[in-house]
Amino acid sequence: MADQAACPVVGPAREFVVEADGGSRGNPGPAGYGAVVLDAATGETLVEAAEYLGVVTNNVAEYRGLLAGLHAAKELDPDARVHVRMDSKLVVEQMSGRWKIKHPDMKPLATEAARVFPPGRVTYEWIPRADNKHADRLANEAMDAGARGEQWSPSESTAELDAASDAATAGVGSRAAAATDVRAAKAVASPGWGPPDLGAPATFVLLRHGETPLTPQKRFSGSGGTDPSLSAVGREQAEKVAESLARRGTIEAIVASPLARTRETAGIVAARLGLEVAVEEGLRETDFGAWEGLTFGEVRERYADDLDAWLASPDAEPTGGGESFAATGARIAATRDKLVAAYAGRTVLLVSHVTPIKTFLQLALGAPPESLFRMELSAASLSAVAYYADGGASVRLFNETSHLR
């Protein structure tokens, strides 16, 4: 019989829980991630990590958070088993192998994440955002630090927020959530005050084009389809909005998307106001690929998996090589900056489409990508955003349709 003292005693593998999150204020925009490694048995926080990433998309930030959490767990114990919990359905489904990874920015990150631990040692679980507050807070702290030109580091305020969160869980209080809400409110609200010494802002009055034959049927109508003209109803709507804008007397220039329905709407308004129309390619609608001309229900029947991915991630493209919301966001951000520089201090009518206008508003508010699905934008409606010299923005009007009544 062998000497027992010569045989190493191998204990059970350690088990960790990794919670990770990433965020981008603009998508793409200033971004950061947060990750925490917990002892699976006790719930004890073992490692916190966070980093400001510069300008990247929300999904890149989420993957970077995952990588940070996995690497931190491996440093603690390379033989551990890890259970990852994230509120990103995209990352969870892709890393679990149920969704394909199509975006070129995602593939190398997912490949790297899969290599941190051997296959079978990491499992993934989607959790609601409310259950991922720790990592979310770290990500926001990293973005806040980046906005100040600093690197994130643990602080006393972090410990206080953790203590408050633990107390809230025990029913004692909710100071952590309140502190996070206040910080988020300051980050979003403060630029909108627009101090008077910054001068007059560039104000974009955002006009969605009038109805086309596809509008009442709620069919996907982007920049890759039939490019329909206005219907009789749509032309009447354009006349009404032109009359309303003439009464206000504030529009100094008109810029339109190159598509037929926007150029026709802009032309009707321009004729009433005595202005010329400049065409800007960046204001075009998203290309919906194979979904062009279909209703939402028809897309659900034909391309269910692609639709689910599109609803879950701004990086997902419509079937057939359409344009993702992330790509639209980058295009609109560049167009916004170009037009703000060209029309500083002036009020400009931008005649565009549902997705670009919603994206202008989302970027101005610093809202998450899913906010695009939570806005109603009627045909021939007016919205407005003012842009100040310090980079701040203020939403002044949304989906105004009183001129159509």
Side-chain angles (χ1 to χ4, degrees), residues 34-272:
V36 57
V37 182
L38 309 171
D39 185 292
T42 66
E44 177 189 1
T45 297
L46 303 176
V47 178
E48 287 183 331
E51 183 182 359
Y52 175 67
L53 299 172
V55 176
V56 300
T57 66
N58 187 67
N59 286 333
V60 166
E62 288 170 334
Y63 262 106
R64 291 289 300 275
L66 169 63
L67 280 166
L70 291 175
H71 283 298
K74 186 175 183 179
E75 287 184 11
L76 289 172
D77 188 345
D79 297 320
R81 293 187 176 276
V82 178
H83 184 61
V84 175
R85 293 156 44 92
M86 297 181 69
D87 60 54
S88 169
K89 190 169 183 65
L90 176 84
V91 174
V92 169
E93 293 298 315
Q94 288 182 341
M95 292 304 301
S96 298
R98 291 185 290 269
W99 287 3
K100 292 182 179 180
I101 305 172
K102 299 179 180 179
H103 198 283
D105 291 343
M106 303 296 107
K107 288 181 179 180
L109 296 173
T111 299
E112 182 181 351
R115 291 175 176 170
V116 177
F117 284 94
R121 293 251 295 277
V122 181
T123 56
Y124 289 86
E125 176 190 3
W126 177 85
I127 57 174
R129 179 169 295 179
D131 294 342
N132 203 28
K133 289 182 179 179
H134 193 158
D136 175 72
R137 170 174 57 76
L138 294 174
N140 276 286
E141 287 182 357
M143 287 184 276
D144 291 343
R148 298 190 300 268
E150 303 170 359
Q151 290 295 318
W152 175 87
S153 62
S155 63
E156 291 183 4
S157 62
T158 299
E160 290 171 358
L161 284 171
D162 284 341
S165 180
D166 292 341
T169 302
V172 177
S174 58
R175 288 180 294 136
T180 301
D181 290 344
V182 168
R183 181 171 60 239
K186 287 181 178 179
V188 171
S190 57
W193 289 104
D197 58 353
L198 295 177
T203 300
F204 294 167
V205 179
L206 305 165
L207 170 61
R208 183 190 171 192
H209 61 80
E211 281 191 12
T212 75
L214 300 180
T215 307
Q217 302 173 33
K218 296 187 180 297
R219 296 185 178 275
F220 283 93
S221 182
S223 59
T226 58
D227 195 14
S229 297
L230 297 181
S231 64
V233 171
R235 289 189 290 273
E236 182 181 355
Q237 291 172 332
E239 294 284 357
K240 288 181 177 180
V241 75
E243 187 62 32
S244 175
L245 292 172
R247 287 196 301 270
R248 300 183 191 188
T250 57
I251 301 300
E252 300 172 79
I254 301 175
V255 183
S257 152
L259 300 183
R261 53 198 181 273
T262 41
R263 287 189 288 107
E264 189 174 357
T265 302
I268 292 171
V269 175
R272 180 65 179 83

